[in-house]
Structures are given as C-alpha cells and as structure tokens.
Amino acid sequence: MTQAPPVPTPPPAPDAPDLSEGWGEQRSRLRKDLRRLDVLFFLICTLVGLDTIGSVAAQGPQGITWMAILALVFFLPYGLLVAELGSAFPVQGGPYVWTRLAFGRLVAGVNQLLYWISNPVWVGGSLCIIALTTWEEFFTPLPGFWKYAAGLIFIWGGALAVVQSVRIGKWVPIAGAVARIVLLGFFLVSVVIFALEHGVHTLPAGEFVPTYAGFVALVPVLIFNYVGFELPSSAAEEMKNPRRDIPLSILRSGLAAVLLYGGPILGILFVLPGKEIGSLGGFIDACKAVFTVYGGSIAADGTVTLTGLGSVFGAVAAAGLIIGLLTSGVTWAMGAHRAQAVACADGAGPAWLGHISEKHGTPVRVNILSAVLASILFVVALNLTDGNGEKYFAAGLGLTICTTFISYVVIFPSLVVLRRKYPNQPRPYAVPGGRLGTWIVAALATGLVAFTVVVLIWPGFGVGWFGTDGNAADSLPASFAGQRAEYTLSQVLPLLLFVGIGLLFYASGRKARAAQRARGESDREDVLTGE
C-alpha cells in the first residue's frame, strides 16, 4: 500500500511588513517586555490628560454633555478602528506602517513627521507651562532665570525616562496611571467633603444644553483627550501578545478614561464660579479651593490660602499633577518616537535617526532630538509671549492638537484601504458591520478630526452663520482676544514649517530607498512577509 503524499504545510500567515534591510537589523534589538497590564496602564496614562481639564470646565456644564456625545460618535468608532488595525498589523511603528501600506512611503513619511513632532511641541508647550504654573501656585515663584531652568529640567527629565529600555521605561506610564487615579480620586473625595461643609454651585439644567458655539470651543480639547489608542501599537513588537492585548486594553482603558476625566470636570464646576474658571488654572484653582477643608480659607475676593494639613495635601497634589503631566509627555514620546525611528530606518527620513540602541533597545537619537526641539520651543515661545502663561498655553496646545489631528486625517482612512488591499490578512478583531461598518467608523473618526483642524486654525468657524447665535470672535482664546491674525499665524506658520521638514526628511532617505529598489523591493508594497 503506497503512502499518501504529505499535505504541504501552508505558508505562515503574513503578519510583519519587511520594511527594509536597515529596519530588519534594528528590529533585532527590540525586547519583548510589555504585558497586557503594562499596555493598559500605558493607555490610561495616554488618554487621561491633566492639561486640558480646565479648558473643558471653562466652557461650563455643556462640556459634560459634549463629552458624552463625543464618547459615542468619536471615542467608540476610534477605538474600534485602532483595535482592528493594531491587532491585524501588529508591527513596530504602528501608525506609520498602516499609512505606509495604505498610501505609500512619501505620504506616510510626511504624515509621521507631523505625528512625531507634535510631541516636542506639546512637552515644550502646554505641559511645561502647566507644570511651572502648578509649581508657582503651590510652592514658590520662579522669576527670570529660574523659570527657564525649571522648564528645561522638566523637558530633559522626561527625555531621560524615554531613553530607558522598555523593561525600565514601562514603569513611567505605570507611575503616571497610578498618580492620575490617586490624584483625581482624592480630588473627588475632597469635593464631596467640601460640598457637605460649604455647599456647591448649582448647575441649572439649561446650561447642559449643547450649543454649536460650545461644540466649536470644546471639540478640540475633548477629542484630544480621547486620542492615544494607537500609541501602544508603535511598540507592538515589544509586546508579549499584541494581537490579544491591544483590543482588550483599548476597551478597558476607554471606560476608565471617561470616568477619570468626567468626574473632575464636574467637581470643578461644583466648586468654582463659572466666571472664575480659567483654561490654564481651572484644575489647579479647584484643588486649592477644596483642600481648604483640611486647613485654609477662601477670602471674599476668591483668594485661597492653605494652612496646616490643607497645605500638605496641596503640595502632595501639586507634585502628583506635575508627575502626571510629565508622564503624559513621556508616554506619548515612547510611542511617537518609536514610529519615527521605524520611518527613518525605512527610508522616509534620515537613516541615522532610525538607529535603535543596542544597550537600551530604544531610539535614543530620536529621543534626544525631540528634547532639543522641545527646549528650543520652550525658550522661544516664552520670549515671544513675554512670559504670558495663558497666551503661551493657548498657542502651544492649539498647535499640538492641530498637528496631531492632521496626521489622523491620513491614519484613520487607512482602515478602509487596508481592508480592500489585504482582505485575507488575519484579523483577530474586526470592526463589526462589514464594509458598511468599516466606512461608518472611518468616516466618523476622520470627519471629526478634520473638522477640529479647521476650528483650531479658525476658531469660531460657522458661529453666527445662517442665523445661529454667537459671535465667532468670542471663540478665540481669551489671551488672543481681538488678535485673530496673530493666533492664526501661530498655528499656520509652524504647520507649514513642519510639512517642509517632513519633505526634507523624506528627501534625506533617498539612499535607503535606492538600495531597496536595487534589491527589487517595491516602494509601496514590500509589505507582508512572515517572519
């Protein structure tokens, strides 16, 4: 009896783009040290931003309403979108790889530059100014030289954390997540105690009614606090099981983010009179006010003085807030810098920036360059605004969000394109609803970030049109009142500069691309080869 011929073993499922020979060498230096719980803490630290709580509270109770609406029409679709992309293409570089496979290297390279450079803009901008403001409110003033020194310590302290190996560096987002949970939880407990002793400000039901003017003012900061799901995918090849851990972590962190973000906003509204809530100091001022229940007083003019245990708790909370801000920047940097290194190793940027440290397993050169850029931005912006913290904060935060969201306008549609181009790619999780569901999810996420870019560049877009209430000029940040041209230039000129840098980065990678073409690799589709 003749033996039946053996059944041929099917080729391995394609799961890793072979981006280039250069990245293949760098990939061998990565270390798989991220577990599911690490990814969850990573996402909580990313999603729960402490720098924009005051900005939302400053818009009054309708901020809560819009937060709930956007949770359904943006946060949920966005989470579904990233869960599919992250589990179907679990490759180091995440967003860069998705757009590379969908739209080619030129588009992906310039887009990745925008995604990456928003991090030093954020760290050297709004994060730094809130950290300094918190220090001055709770500890001691920082006159002249000391403000610059403190800002640079904040920036380079974060850079030191980012360069560490993932085994060490993952403790930064863990510490940041714990600091958020403890700080925001203690704040809410203190609000309850404050309410029992002093009562709270009533919030009329009519103030929760959403308006278009409120939407235009709130959509940038609310959506900004709802983004970051894709960041762990930038370190996918450092995870133990990215196909399983990414979707589960997105679900859990999304629920935690809504609770941790919404509670403090309500607390601020209950404690502070609406007219006294500022975008920069709203959360800081609310903390000081509620901590008077442990020791201190509030004068008739609203001045808060903390004493005894109130002063101690205030100092601890201030330290926790500064740690939370620092870890936000570090956690985003851990993802964005890795994606930029992959892009550079792939020929979409200077090859030397694609180097992964053999000692740390991290893109040290990209990390250092980011810290340098953040330092330059911090010093220049502080001088251009003459030390005006509110003005510096508004311009820096607007530019950070705008730059990030322009990159999302390209990243999100890649879901639809990759479904079409690679229909047989294993998808442990897929957006429900088939092709229609995919289009709806991508359209909602892309449309909202695109609209946000418009209202960031031109605050008040559509306000007062077609007989609607409101004045577009009122949508300008308070620190730029009557200065629309100055504000718009603060956004447009840097954006044009960043796009130019992206094109220069791409041009600098021509040798790597030529080498790949000589090996017969496609500039668009050297894509999925099982490793």
Side-chain angles (χ1 to χ4, degrees), residues 469-481:
D469 294 332
N471 186 338
D474 295 337
S475 298
L476 282 167
S479 53
F480 281 92

Side-chain angles (χ1 to χ4, degrees), residues 19-23 93 95-97 99-101 103-116 338-355 366 369 498-517 521-524 526:
L19 295 178
S20 70
E21 183 178 304
W23 175 242
Y96 168 75
V97 175
T99 53
R100 162 84 150 87
L101 298 176
F103 305 115
R105 186 157 27 197
L106 173 59
V107 172
V110 175
N111 197 62
Q112 173 55 41
L113 188 284
L114 295 176
Y115 186 79
W116 160 65
R338 281 166 165 77
Q340 185 61 41
V342 172
C344 291
D346 183 44
W352 62 275
L353 280 177
H355 177 78
V366 175
L369 178 60
F498 297 160
V499 171
I501 294 174
L503 292 171
L504 288 175
F505 264 46
Y506 183 79
S508 68
R510 61 185 181 278
K511 289 185 179 179
R513 296 194 299 275
Q516 290 178 39
R517 286 193 293 270
E521 299 174 7
S522 166
D523 189 49
R524 286 178 58 89
D526 49 348

Side-chain angles (χ1 to χ4, degrees), residues 199-291:
V200 295
H201 296 283
T202 58
L203 302 176
E207 294 185 7
F208 285 90
V209 176
T211 65
Y212 178 76
F215 173 68
V216 169
L218 284 164
V219 66
V221 289
L222 282 176
I223 292 185
F224 185 58
N225 277 284
Y226 278 157
V227 297
F229 278 143
E230 74 286 345
L231 280 167
S233 294
S234 295
E237 293 177 41
E238 296 169 80
M239 295 183 193
K240 297 290 186 180
N241 191 340
R243 291 190 184 276
R244 178 198 63 188
D245 294 345
I246 287 175
L248 286 173
S249 298
I250 285 175
L251 172 63
R252 294 169 181 174
S253 63
L255 294 173
V258 172
L259 295 175
L260 288 171
Y261 194 56
I265 293 172
L266 269 177
I268 294 174
L269 294 173
F270 280 132
V271 171
L272 296 181
K275 64 180 184 301
E276 294 182 10
I277 301 175
S279 297
L280 173 57
F283 184 56
I284 301 170
D285 295 338
C287 284
K288 292 185 71 174
V290 298
F291 290 159

Side-chain angles (χ1 to χ4, degrees), residues 347-414:
W352 62 275
L353 280 177
H355 177 78
I356 301 296
S357 167
E358 292 186 24
K359 178 180 179 181
H360 300 291
T362 60
V364 173
R365 295 174 182 176
V366 175
N367 298 337
I368 293 175
L369 178 60
S370 294
V372 170
L373 292 175
S375 301
I376 294 172
L377 174 72
F378 168 67
V379 173
V380 170
L382 207 58
N383 278 278
L384 289 178
T385 57
D386 296 322
N388 184 330
E390 284 281 358
K391 199 167 192 176
Y392 180 17
F393 173 79
L397 182 61
L399 183 59
T400 299
I401 300 174
C402 196
T403 307
T404 305
F405 283 11
I406 289 175
S407 71
Y408 284 142
V409 171
V410 178
I411 293 171
F412 292 166
S414 64

Side-chain angles (χ1 to χ4, degrees), residues 50-55 57 126-139 183-184 187 264 267-268 271-272 276-292 302 304-306 310 313-315 317-322 325 390 393:
L50 300 177
D51 55 326
T52 55
I53 290 177
S55 297
S126 60
L127 289 186
C128 204
I129 194 62
I130 292 182
L132 297 182
T133 301
T134 302
W135 181 275
E136 291 186 316
E137 284 285 334
F138 286 92
F139 298 109
L183 172 62
L184 298 179
F187 172 73
I268 294 174
V271 171
L272 296 181
E276 294 182 10
I277 301 175
S279 297
L280 173 57
F283 184 56
I284 301 170
D285 295 338
C287 284
K288 292 185 71 174
V290 298
F291 290 159
T292 57
V304 178
T305 302
L306 294 176
F313 283 153
L321 178 57
I322 293 172
L325 295 168
E390 284 281 358
F393 173 79

